[in-house]
Structures are given as C-alpha cells and as structure tokens.
Amino acid sequence: MSDLKPTEIVNELDKYIIGQDNGKRSVAIALRNRWRRRQVDPELREEIAPKNIVLIGPTGVGKTEIARRLARLTDSPFIKVEASKFTEVGYVGRDVESMVRDLLELSINHLKAREQEAVQGKAQEIAEERMLDLLLPSSSDRQSRESEASDEGAGDSTDDTVIEIGANQESSSGEASSSTREKFRKMLRDGKLDERYVDMEVQDKSMPMVEIFSNAGMEEMGINMRDMLGNFMPKGSSKKRKVKVSDAMELLVQEEAQRLVDMDKVVGEAIEKVEQSGIIFLDEIDKVTGKEGSGGGGPDVSREGVQRDLLPIVEGTTVNTKHGPVNTDHILFIASGAFHMSKPSDLIPELQGRFPIRVELDSLGRDEFTRILTEPKNALLLQYIALLKTEGLNVRFEDEAVGEIAKFAEDVNNRTENIGARRLHTLMEHLLEDLLFEASDMDEREVTINKEYVDEKLKDITADEDLTRYIL
C-alpha cells in the first residue's frame, strides 16, 4: 500500500479519525512525496529531503492517531517518543539518539517475525523429525550396540555368520522402524501424543541481573553495556527436562524458525526500511520550548539544550547502533504539541526551519463527538456493545441518547480542561457503570439507552462543577 494516492490515504484515515481534514491532507502529501522521490533519478533522489510536519492542537483531537494510523497504513517503521522526557535529569545530551535505535529495534523485530512466519512450514517439518527422534529409539544407538557386539566377536571362526545375521537383522529392523516412525508421525499430526512427555534439552536463558550506572554521554559512544557484559557472563547452559509433546513441538518449531532466518539479511532490510520510510512522532514538542521573559536562566537552558540535541537528528546525521550505522536524512519527523503556553516561533530558529509544514487541528465540538461515537470502524459505542454482548446482553443506543452524550462531553470540556475526545471515555464509563457491573447477573437480554437514561446518569455529576472536576 506504499503507492497510495493522497485521496486514498485520506479515505483510509477517515475510517478511524473524524474531521481534521487539514492534518490528513498534510500527512497524505508527505507520504506520497516519498513514493514520488523513489521514482526520481538516483542523482537527484538523495537531494530531496522529507518535509517534516508540526501538528498544533489541544490534547485528544487526533494528532497521535493520525501518525499512528498512517504508519500502519503504509507498513512503515514507526515510533512515538515524548520530547519532554529528554528534559529529565541525566537524560539531556545522552538519550536523544535512542529514538533512532529504538525505531531500528522495532523494525528488526517486525521483519524477523515476518520471516519466521514465512519459514513456518519448513520449521514444522524439521521439528516433526526431531520430535520423532525423541519419541523413537535412535538408529545410531542401535548401530553402536551392534558394532560393539561385532567387535567382541572379532577373531572367532564364525565372523562371517555373525556379520550376515547382523545385516539381516538391520534390514528387518530398518523396515520395522520406518513403519513405526510413520505410525508415530500420523499419531503426532492427529494430536494423539500431545499428552505424552519427552525428555529434551531446554536452553536455560536465565542470567544474573546487572544494574549499570553510567555517565551522561556513555550511550553516544555506541556502547551497549548489556551486550558487552553478556560476553563475559556464563552462557546459559542447556538442561534436560520432561516436556509435554505439544509444548515441546512449539519449542522446536520456534527454535528451527529462528535457525532458518538469515539475521544479516533481516538487519540489512530493517536499516534500509528505517532510513527510507521510517516515521518518528515527536509528541509534546511544545514542552521543550523556552518561555518568553525567562531571562535565559533556570530550566529553560535545559529545554534549549534539548532542541539543539534534536536538531542534528532532524537535519540528518548518522546514528551508531549495535547493528550498524543508521542515516536519518530521509526519516519523516512529525512533531505535535498543544502550544498553550508557547508558540512554534518559540522553538530555536534552526529547528523551526526543519519543520516547514505547520497544521493547526480543530477543537472538537458536539457534532464531531456524535460522529466519533458512531462512525469510525472502532467507534466507542461499537466497543461497548461488543463487550456487553459477550455476556449475552444486547445494548442499543438511540440517536437522541448519542446526541446527549456528545452534548455533555462538549459542556464538560468547555467548563473544565479541554481533553478532546478522551472526555467521551470518562462519560461512557460513568454512563454504563451499572450495566457493566450487573450484566452477568441480569435477566434482561435487551437494553435500550435513551435520552432520559443519559440525563439520569450524567446530569447530577455534570451540574456540580466540583464533581465534574474530580470524577469526569
């Protein structure tokens, strides 16, 4: 789906996100530009940098969801990081590059799982043969015993007779063991041996826990302390355990699938994918802006330091990882923030220039809340209906009831903190609290939620501002 047109991308996002057309258009254009870049001549291709985006809007309006759905839609490596975490003591200047390392690890794990899925059939065959070897006596053991017997008889006058008898026995036993093996194979596939136990070597992966205290800047040296110390730790020894055949088969298939996967190829593809189609979502970018009139002292110095540490990553640099260097020139950065106490122009000029596209997302009102409750494929009402249906309870929401819930959500957001669509979650929990608690014991199988029911459950709480602040 990497060659979707902008209109197709927006249509896909519309299935999960209500409104915010400007934000959807911007990310759709940015995504299509990646496809366009791949069609350009190689000489010019490297010169075309992605146009990073800043999404501006209050919490709960869909900033994170747009980026997350976009990544799923295109199967791109995606990671969400909080810009504010880089202001914590001991993190400044050290952990900024970790977002790229984490993105690469996620991509490697995803591709590894996909490759293991592709070789699952072959792994199953090999694991089946190994299981049959565990269930049946080993032919090699039998041959060694026969070899010992023939050695003891060496020098006797009946040497030829012994060898001939041994050959006949081996031929007949080989046919019998082959027949027995096929019988066991059929029983194994039919699940008739699942409750049996076999002795097998199981890798003991436990290793001593080590706490590492390092100075800021240690991670920049590209040293993975856990891996380094792991080379000096005793390797996990294998030990024999009695395991059910069904569990042993899962272990063997997993082990064989890992052996069949070419990890060098996986790592190479993952690095290529991260460099060419990776998406990093920098949330709460407004929390690292300096405030006007601060005089350049206190924590604002730290905030500006974080921006300067982010700058080379966004501009394009090479980050050293334990799997090899990763270039960030063509990674798409999508930043977001509410910017209540600051504005995008409070970012340092160099960082502002690296986010040329700025999109202001709209606050959500009653109409949007009504659509959020009913229209998306993962609509909130559909989730609660499905949950209660597991108890055999069929719940139906009248249109007037849905409109009333949306009205209460808008009202509470206006009178308290505006947390956008997340307000619907708190309202729905209070509205359906009795049903969720009593559903398993109710005799009724049909429940209709109407406007009167909504008023009865929510009116008293929303009318009292103190209760609203502490409960909703």
Side-chain angles (χ1 to χ4, degrees), residues 148-168:
E148 289 173 7
S150 63
D151 287 344
E152 289 174 2
D156 291 350
S157 59
T158 56
D159 278 355
D160 294 339
T161 308
V162 170
I163 292 170
E164 185 178 346
I165 292 171
N168 290 335

Side-chain angles (χ1 to χ4, degrees), residues 215-229:
N215 296 324
M218 179 65 82
E219 193 171 351
E220 291 180 357
M221 297 168 63
I223 297 175
N224 190 308
M225 297 298 289
R226 179 175 292 182
D227 286 352
M228 189 178 76
L229 289 177

Side-chain angles (χ1 to χ4, degrees), residues 12-26:
E12 289 295 324
L13 293 175
D14 282 340
K15 294 177 182 178
Y16 297 95
I17 303 158
I18 298 299
Q20 313 305 357
D21 294 334
N22 291 336
K24 292 174 185 173
R25 284 171 61 90
S26 296

Side-chain angles (χ1 to χ4, degrees), residues 190-452:
D190 293 342
K192 295 178 180 177
L193 303 176
D194 286 354
E195 297 304 314
R196 278 202 187 188
Y197 284 84
V198 292
D199 291 324
M200 67 176 292
E201 297 281 341
V202 178
Q203 193 74 19
D204 184 13
K205 295 181 180 178
S206 62
M207 65 175 292
M209 292 294 291
V210 180
E211 289 290 339
I212 301 168
F213 298 92
S214 62
N215 296 324
M218 179 65 82
E219 193 171 351
E220 291 180 357
M221 297 168 63
I223 297 175
N224 190 308
M225 297 298 289
R226 179 175 292 182
D227 286 352
M228 189 178 76
L229 289 177
N231 295 330
F232 298 100
M233 297 292 181
K235 298 291 182 186
S237 57
S238 59
K239 54 183 180 183
K240 259 195 174 178
R241 282 177 50 196
K242 279 192 176 296
V243 186
K244 274 188 177 182
V245 168
S246 56
D247 297 333
M249 275 298 291
E250 289 183 14
L251 292 172
L252 290 174
V253 170
Q254 186 178 357
E255 187 179 321
E256 291 302 329
Q258 288 179 350
R259 286 180 181 173
L260 290 169
V261 171
D262 183 354
M263 282 307 297
D264 290 337
K265 177 186 171 187
V266 167
V267 169
E269 287 182 3
I271 291 176
E272 174 75 12
K273 202 167 183 182
V274 166
E275 289 182 340
Q276 300 302 323
S277 61
I279 299 174
I280 293 181
F281 186 80
L282 279 169
D283 202 7
E284 296 189 354
I285 192 73
D286 56 317
K287 302 299 188 295
V288 296
T289 59
K291 296 183 178 64
E292 293 181 0
S294 62
D300 291 320
V301 175
S302 170
R303 293 191 182 103
E304 188 168 316
V306 173
Q307 293 183 56
R308 295 198 179 280
D309 290 330
L310 286 170
L311 185 60
I313 306 289
V314 179
E315 279 183 336
T317 187
T318 300
V319 176
N320 291 318
T321 73
K322 66 179 181 180
H323 302 291
V326 177
N327 190 284
T328 67
D329 284 349
H330 301 288
I331 292 178
L332 176 65
F333 289 85
I334 302 176
S336 81
F339 289 96
H340 288 311
M341 309 295 293
S342 58
K343 50 189 181 296
S345 59
D346 291 332
L347 293 167
I348 60 174
E350 298 92 333
L351 198 58
Q352 288 183 50
R354 291 295 168 181
F355 287 90
I357 302 173
R358 299 177 190 178
V359 183
E360 188 166 355
L361 302 188
D362 305 319
S363 294
L364 301 177
R366 180 176 178 176
D367 293 340
E368 288 79 17
F369 288 147
T370 302
R371 295 178 61 199
I372 288 169
L373 286 169
T374 56
E375 289 185 17
K377 292 178 75 172
N378 60 341
L380 203 53
L381 292 189
L382 296 179
Q383 294 178 31
Y384 280 103
I385 289 170
L387 286 172
L388 289 167
K389 200 165 188 176
T390 61
E391 302 276 6
L393 187 65
N394 294 316
V395 180
R396 187 176 68 85
F397 289 85
E398 291 185 353
D399 292 342
E400 287 185 349
V402 176
E404 195 69 6
I405 296 168
K407 176 175 168 288
F408 276 118
E410 182 183 45
D411 183 47
V412 174
N413 273 347
N414 289 337
R415 290 194 291 117
T416 60
E417 288 293 328
N418 184 1
I419 61 171
R422 294 188 177 95
R423 185 72 67 191
L424 294 171
H425 290 269
T426 57
L427 285 171
M428 289 298 296
E429 281 296 318
H430 283 280
L431 176 67
L432 300 177
E433 183 178 9
D434 292 340
L435 277 180
L436 291 168
F437 184 79
E438 298 167 1
S440 51
D441 301 317
M442 288 175 63
D443 294 328
E444 296 177 70
R445 296 294 90 189
E446 301 282 341
V447 175
T448 299
I449 307 294
N450 53 29
K451 183 176 181 292
E452 290 72 25

